[in-house]
Amino acid sequence: MDSRRGRQSHGHNSGHDHGRGPVGSARSLEDISTPGRVAEPGEGISHEELALAARNHGLPLEALHHDVTPPGLHYVLVHYDIPYVPPAEAHAWTLTVGGRVRTPLVLDLSALHSLPPVTHRVTMECAGNGRARLTPRPVSQPWLVEAVGTADWTGVPLRTLLAEAGVEPDAVEAVFTGADHGVERGVEQDYRRSLPLTDATAPDPEVLVAYEMNGAPLPPQHGHPLRLVVPGWYGMAHVKWLRDITLTDTQFTGFQQAVAYRYRQAPDEPGAPVTRIAPRALMIPPGFPDFMSRTRVVRPGPVRLEGRAWSGRAPVTKVEVSTDDGGSWREAELAPPDGRAGHAWSWRHWQSLWTATPGAHVLTARATDAAGTTQPVTQPWNRGGFGNNLVQRIPVLCTQVDGSSSTHSRPV
């Protein structure tokens, strides 16, 4: 096992490592890696948040036209650095499976490719999607609504590997370690997350150890050469650059599990864990945009409104559309569920026809799932900015002026 893996603190409130090897001065780590906080009233986006936004990227909303998101348009969130795996060395990548198992495994890519492959179409969303729309704003990656994508992931079911290793009766969780390494809130660590054994071995949703995205090897930013795919769960569970799976007989309390990714109203409360994706509908912005404000322009008359809806808690059963900023709602036409094997955890298309009239309008849509949960029209606030599925709002100007013939002569 990589020696760096011993450096992560497992305490709920640890700000530094306790007896796990030299990591430098704890104070110096805390100086460069400050605690999570909420922005002050009127505080703008910081240089650090802008740097995060430049490294990570969301789905351009017009890409919602695609049933399957092209890899370059799929959202990306990278906590630390993208590990560099030279093409000539990718074949030497190994995945270890150990801990509370009868037969520890060391699997290279050839061994994984020799097992029967499975493909699942999965909609993946960042847990922080919508964070920058909250008031007050949690200071972190400033997502609006675009941190989502849907891909066809191919790999080996995790339960197949665990069955081969032989799970001991006292095992309760599977801990996943990625090769990405960094410092977060003063804790030096490899990125690690866990799943309860019941979720890790469930037939539906079936967790994958994936090596392909949309029929091709994983791109570097999406976890090349191996990653975890956990259908229905927010993106923090889908550990990229997967190196190790360890089964434990106790609950994992590493940083990304017990400190980060918790729903908290106050900094000193333990909070509830962030797990499954809350229902959301997104609309493809109609018409054409202003460059800076992204305000949409449409012409009077029939306008097709359409988009995608999903939930990781239960199937989406209804999408409603409003063209008057939530003053009234009407039900949209929802595409039937995709009954193909492996597609149950993918988004669904919806559409509605709107007769646009001259003036300013605000368009929005909301999803309801089979559990009866409907997207809120007021913000569900928490300190981390997680699970904010507040409805999307799209300002639209309907005008009869057609400036298309003169745009080429205007200065830019």
Side-chain angles (χ1 to χ4, degrees):
M1 179 180 292
D2 190 320
S3 62
R4 297 179 307 174
R5 293 178 191 167
R7 296 177 178 173
Q8 177 172 323
S9 168
H10 293 270
H12 284 250
N13 298 311
S14 296
H16 59 279
D17 203 324
H18 294 282
R20 290 185 171 269
V23 295
S25 165
R27 180 60 187 167
S28 65
L29 288 181
E30 291 169 353
D31 283 343
I32 67 169
S33 183
T34 56
R37 68 182 185 89
V38 173
E40 297 293 334
E43 179 183 345
I45 297 290
S46 66
H47 173 84
E48 289 80 8
E49 289 174 287
L50 181 59
L52 284 175
R55 283 187 53 81
N56 303 305
H57 70 81
L59 172 84
L61 291 179
E62 62 270 27
L64 290 166
H65 282 292
H66 296 274
D67 290 334
V68 176
T69 309
L73 298 178
H74 195 288
Y75 98 91
V76 170
L77 187 284
V78 178
H79 274 250
Y80 309 127
D81 285 349
I82 298 171
Y84 176 59
V85 184
E89 298 178 14
H91 71 280
W93 188 276
T94 57
L95 173 66
T96 54
V97 182
R100 302 303 299 152
V101 298
R102 290 187 289 274
T103 307
L105 306 176
V106 179
L107 303 164
D108 60 16
L109 295 185
S110 295
L112 291 168
H113 279 270
S114 71
L115 297 171
V118 172
T119 299
H120 291 324
R121 182 168 295 178
V122 175
T123 295
M124 194 181 297
E125 182 178 8
C126 184
N129 199 17
R131 176 185 291 124
R133 304 170 69 208
L134 293 175
T135 304
R137 189 186 82 255
V139 176
S140 186
Q141 165 67 33
W143 292 123
L144 296 172
V145 296
E146 300 92 346
V148 68
T150 293
D152 287 337
W153 305 98
T154 299
V156 180
L158 174 61
R159 61 193 178 117
T160 298
L161 300 182
L162 296 184
E164 183 176 340
V167 178
E168 294 285 7
D170 61 350
V172 297
E173 287 198 345
V175 181
F176 308 93
T177 301
D180 44 333
H181 183 81
V183 178
E184 201 162 345
R185 300 188 206 173
V187 180
E188 183 178 353
Q189 59 190 282
D190 288 341
Y191 187 87
R192 278 178 171 171
R193 285 281 306 183
S194 73
L195 287 173
L197 191 59
T198 51
D199 291 292
T201 58
D204 185 26
E206 185 174 57
V207 179
L208 289 185
V209 173
Y211 47 73
E212 287 186 356
M213 179 184 189
N214 295 355
L218 295 174
Q221 72 273 27
H222 288 292
H224 174 75
L226 286 178
R227 73 170 300 163
L228 203 66
V229 174
V230 189
W233 285 57
Y234 280 115
M236 79 283 155
H238 304 238
V239 177
K240 293 182 280 191
W241 310 290
L242 185 64
R243 297 298 302 265
D244 180 76
I245 302 170
T246 299
L247 270 65
T248 63
D249 58 4
T250 58
Q251 188 177 38
F252 178 60
T253 57
F255 178 87
Q256 301 294 344
Q257 202 83 19
V259 180
Y261 294 107
R262 312 285 294 190
Y263 291 112
R264 294 185 178 94
Q265 298 297 312
D268 56 350
E269 65 180 68
V274 178
T275 56
R276 293 184 175 273
I277 299 172
R280 188 189 295 274
L282 286 182
M283 183 184 299
I284 301 169
F288 54 92
D290 170 68
F291 172 69
M292 283 296 295
S293 70
R294 308 310 294 176
T295 298
R296 309 300 295 192
V297 178
V298 299
R299 304 299 182 213
V303 177
R304 184 188 186 198
L305 305 179
E306 60 178 319
R308 306 280 174 171
W310 63 93
S311 173
R313 302 176 181 180
V316 170
T317 55
K318 181 171 67 175
V319 172
E320 298 168 283
V321 173
S322 174
T323 58
D324 56 6
D325 201 12
S328 61
W329 298 88
R330 66 176 183 274
E331 193 165 342
E333 178 186 346
L334 185 62
D338 192 330
R340 288 175 288 180
H343 289 210
W345 297 95
S346 174
W347 56 26
R348 292 174 67 180
H349 181 266
W350 61 266
Q351 62 181 353
S352 180
L353 193 63
W354 170 47
T355 302
T357 57
H361 307 269
V362 176
L363 310 182
T364 190
R366 65 183 181 189
T368 300
D369 65 21
T373 305
T374 299
Q375 270 186 270
V377 295
T378 57
Q379 64 175 19
W381 191 88
N382 61 85
R383 284 186 62 86
F386 299 126
N388 174 29
N389 64 334
L390 173 69
V391 292
Q392 173 194 22
R393 299 172 73 250
I394 302 177
V396 172
L397 175 64
C398 178
T399 175
Q400 303 207 40
V401 177
D402 185 356
S404 60
S405 61
S406 60
T407 55
H408 295 292
S409 63
R410 293 178 181 174
V412 294

